[in-house]
Structure formats: structure tokens, C-alpha cells
Amino acid sequence: MQAVAVAVLSLSSQAFAAGVELGTEPPDSLIVTRNGLEWVWAGPCAGLAPSCGVVALHHGFGFATDSQWTTSFVSIADIASAFSGKCASPYFNTVWNHCDAGDITVGAIWQSPFAEPSHRNQPYSETFLVRTSNQVPEPAGLAFLGLGMLGLAAVRRTSRR
């Protein structure tokens, strides 16, 4: 009976990620940046139901398209290498606070074109999220910057006359 209680306690300490980290910005040390995209390993389950855990989207992170995957990575091994020790599950997953590296090595990555076909859409596949890097300026921001510079040049030219 005591062994069962210990097992339940150890599982419960892993199971509940809904602590202070959930919904907060993950630290830079857990973010992988590739080709203007920022990636996080959000948990050990599919991002949407049916799933063994729910992923909360926040801080601009969302589910990746095939194009975003292939822009950033070249293979399962590349993904595994990039995310070695970088689990952000406590920041995104409402059930689990860990990631399963073994799932990546067998190709169980949710909604990734690199995933093994039999694992791609499974509830137990690892979920990764992506957002546009803050290092890439938005077109509207560039337009306003350009207009501001033109305005400054015009003011400077008129003040010289």
C-alpha cells in the first residue's frame, strides 16, 4: 500500500504543470531561434484534442505550419539536437511539466512534416510551438520608420533655408 502511495505522489508531482510558470513568457534559454522563427517544446502530448494534455497558446506562440517546420529544421535529428534540454512544458501545458525526448527520436512530433506518418497526429506526440522572432521587423514598422526618416529629412532641409 505504501508503494502505491509513493507511486501516486511521484506521478502527481510530474502531472500538474498549472503552477506559476503556466501562461508566462518562457525564458530565452528554452527558446530555439531558427531563420527568424522562435520555437518552444510545449509538451509531451498533442496540441489539440484528442490529447493527453492541453497546450495553452500565449505570448504570440502558435501551432506551426509545414512551411515553418521546413524553414527551420532539416530532420528529426536536427529537432532533437536543437531542443536537447530545452523543455518549456511548464509554461504551456496544463497537465504535464515534462517533455519526452524519446518520443522525438521515434518521430512522434505532432503536426510536423518530419514526423513518422503513424505518429504525426497521435495524442501522445510531442508538441512544439512557433512565433515570429522579435528580431524580424514587421512591414508596418519599417514603413513608419521610413516615413519618420523622410519627415526628419524634410524638417532639416526647411530649417537650413
Side-chain angles (χ1 to χ4, degrees):
M1 186 69 157
Q2 187 178 9
V4 172
V6 170
V8 168
L9 286 175
S10 69
L11 283 175
S12 66
S13 68
Q14 281 188 336
F16 299 104
V20 294
E21 295 97 351
L22 186 62
T24 62
E25 176 88 17
D28 290 341
S29 62
L30 298 180
I31 298 173
V32 171
T33 302
R34 293 278 185 97
N35 295 324
L37 297 173
E38 294 179 331
W39 292 83
V40 291
W41 189 354
C45 301
L48 296 173
S51 178
C52 57
V54 177
V55 172
L57 302 178
H58 58 81
H59 287 88
F61 284 98
F63 300 117
T65 64
D66 283 0
S67 174
Q68 288 170 317
W69 276 107
T70 57
T71 295
S72 298
F73 303 100
V74 296
S75 66
I76 295 272
D78 187 23
I79 296 165
S81 173
F83 285 97
S84 179
K86 295 180 183 270
C87 178
S89 183
Y91 298 87
F92 294 95
N93 198 289
T94 61
V95 177
W96 303 104
N97 64 3
H98 74 281
C99 298
D100 295 329
D103 287 349
I104 294 177
T105 60
V106 299
I109 302 175
W110 189 70
Q111 295 295 312
S112 170
F114 300 111
E116 291 298 320
S118 61
H119 296 306
R120 181 174 177 160
N121 298 316
Q122 296 301 319
Y124 56 79
S125 294
E126 302 294 305
T127 294
F128 292 82
L129 301 176
V130 66
R131 73 177 173 191
T132 303
S133 172
N134 294 332
Q135 300 168 356
V136 178
E138 293 184 24
L142 288 175
F144 281 121
L145 178 64
L147 285 173
M149 291 176 75
L150 285 173
L152 286 173
V155 168
R156 185 175 174 179
R157 180 177 269 187
T158 16
S159 65
R160 284 186 166 179
R161 290 184 183 175

